[in-house]
Amino acid sequence: LDITSNYLHHERIEIKQISSVIIYNYVLLHTKSYQLSDYWKNTLDEINPQVIQILISILDNLSNENDINIRKRRLSIVCRLIRSFGMELGKLARELGFIDIIKELQEKLNVNSNNKDKDYEESLLVELAIAFT
């Protein structure tokens, strides 16, 4: 997971795509039907540190990602985590300042009206903006 997270910021698009797919599939494995795996269940009212690591690595520099497929995959990962963990994870993301990245992405999306996947990306951003507030 550490190595894969590091490659999210690689200069080659195919490396970033592979990294985001691996993390996405890993998140799916631990959130089947939005139910947390035993490995990720909260203990002592704390979020699993691995989930926090994924959240931070996925949101870090997301507004600078130019590839639409990578950006959508990364947004989907965060949405999946929020849906599975609930508002507690959204609150953490807000406290870490990631709401600014969501707002920046929303502004960029409004400027770039030629984006064919705009509706899907916009729905993910709206969901995250609500979860982070």
Side-chain angles (χ1 to χ4, degrees), residues 13 18-19 25 32 42 44-45 48-49 53 66 72 87 115 133:
I13 290 175
I18 291 168
S19 295
N25 288 339
K32 290 180 183 173
N42 293 354
L44 301 174
D45 296 325
N48 184 294
Q53 177 188 3
N66 293 322
K72 285 189 322 184
M87 300 312 275
N115 183 349
T133 56

Side-chain angles (χ1 to χ4, degrees), residues 19-67:
S19 295
S20 64
V21 167
I22 290 171
I23 294 172
Y24 183 74
N25 288 339
Y26 187 76
V27 168
L28 286 178
L29 174 71
H30 288 291
T31 59
K32 290 180 183 173
S33 302
Y34 300 109
Q35 299 295 315
L36 298 177
S37 68
D38 289 339
Y39 183 71
W40 273 12
K41 285 192 177 166
N42 293 354
T43 56
L44 301 174
D45 296 325
E46 293 181 12
I47 298 171
N48 184 294
Q50 196 174 62
V51 174
I52 297 170
Q53 177 188 3
I54 291 171
L55 178 75
I56 291 170
S57 65
I58 291 296
L59 289 172
D60 186 43
N61 284 329
L62 183 58
S63 57
N64 295 329
E65 180 56 64
N66 293 322
D67 185 273

Side-chain angles (χ1 to χ4, degrees), residues 109-120:
L109 189 65
N110 290 332
V111 170
N112 186 7
S113 59
N114 295 331
N115 183 349
K116 68 178 182 169
D117 298 314
K118 180 179 178 181
D119 290 340
Y120 180 68

